Amino acid sequence: LFGPAQAATGRIPDAMDVRSAEATLEPDGLPPQVRQVQLPFRWDHEFPGRGGKASYRIDLPAAAVPAGGPSALLLSGAGNQMAISFNGALVAGFGTLDDPGYDAAKGNQLVPVAAALHRRDGQSQQLLIQATMQRQRGGGLASILYGNEASLAPLYRAQQSWRNTSAIVYAVSLLLMGGLAGGLWLRQRDALYGCFALAAL
């Protein structure tokens, strides 16, 4: 039932880039499906207008166990709620499954993996991600990097910084456009400018 993880070392030399997973998909109102999916996997593209559940099973080769420090998983987006298990042990949970009050898809996640959880007998490491999705919330599973925590942490911080900076730039741009439209409305009393200024603010 477990599908192989495919690795690419383009972004970080000692990290595995997971490109596929064996998924059990349970969309609301449709029969369950078990199939290989390519990552990133976008739930709303596969099942538009439906929520549901998914379990993603990934085999990480034994040779992929990072050396020289603690390991971690870097998820660029998953959800909307999820629980992550590594070799049968729960290592992280984001929100409560089926509870729409939390949305893990809004940010990336760095998940440390304790060294004691790794198998050292030549067997592959088994990763299980259980997720629940609500319709039209951008659920699914984006890319996963597996490697040294020390190597992944700077990338995680850079991604967080980019998300925060882009949100600030977007908000400031809207404020500037709203202010400009408001000024035009004060001078010309055109309803279109007034409506845009209110909408932008």
Side-chain angles (χ1 to χ4, degrees):
L1 190 61
F2 292 88
Q6 299 172 351
T9 56
R11 284 185 281 183
I12 296 180
D14 59 349
M16 167 174 281
D17 193 354
V18 178
R19 292 294 187 180
S20 64
E22 185 74 23
T24 301
L25 309 172
E26 302 177 54
D28 293 339
L30 294 176
Q33 306 175 17
V34 179
R35 60 186 171 95
Q36 195 82 5
V37 297
Q38 298 302 307
L39 303 182
F41 176 76
R42 294 175 176 83
W43 181 271
D44 289 333
H45 290 187
E46 293 286 326
F47 309 107
R50 297 178 186 272
K53 302 177 182 178
S55 295
Y56 308 96
R57 296 174 174 86
I58 299 163
D59 262 1
L60 301 168
V65 176
S71 64
L73 299 158
L74 178 59
L75 289 78
S76 297
N80 300 107
Q81 302 83 40
M82 61 181 173
I84 303 172
S85 299
F86 192 90
N87 288 334
L90 182 68
V91 292
F94 299 96
T96 302
L97 297 180
D98 282 323
D99 180 4
Y102 184 91
D103 189 3
K106 299 300 182 188
N108 55 339
Q109 312 290 348
L110 183 67
V111 179
V113 178
L117 296 178
H118 288 90
R119 295 173 176 168
R120 304 287 180 178
D121 54 2
Q123 296 184 28
S124 60
Q125 316 297 320
Q126 295 180 348
L127 177 63
L128 173 65
I129 300 175
Q130 297 171 289
T132 52
M133 277 73 59
Q134 291 78 44
R135 63 189 185 93
Q136 299 177 341
R137 293 189 75 186
L141 184 62
S143 63
I144 302 174
L145 285 175
Y146 170 63
N148 236 308
E149 186 176 6
S151 300
L152 295 176
L155 178 59
Y156 169 73
R157 288 193 293 270
Q159 290 177 346
Q160 289 290 86
S161 176
W162 171 247
R163 285 178 185 270
N164 295 338
T165 302
S166 60
I168 292 170
V169 169
Y170 184 69
V172 170
S173 300
L174 276 178
L175 285 173
L176 290 174
M177 289 188 292
L180 178 61
L184 290 170
W185 177 79
L186 287 173
R187 291 179 60 87
Q188 301 181 15
R189 298 298 178 180
D190 188 324
L192 180 62
Y193 292 132
C195 289
F196 182 83
L198 289 174
L201 293 174

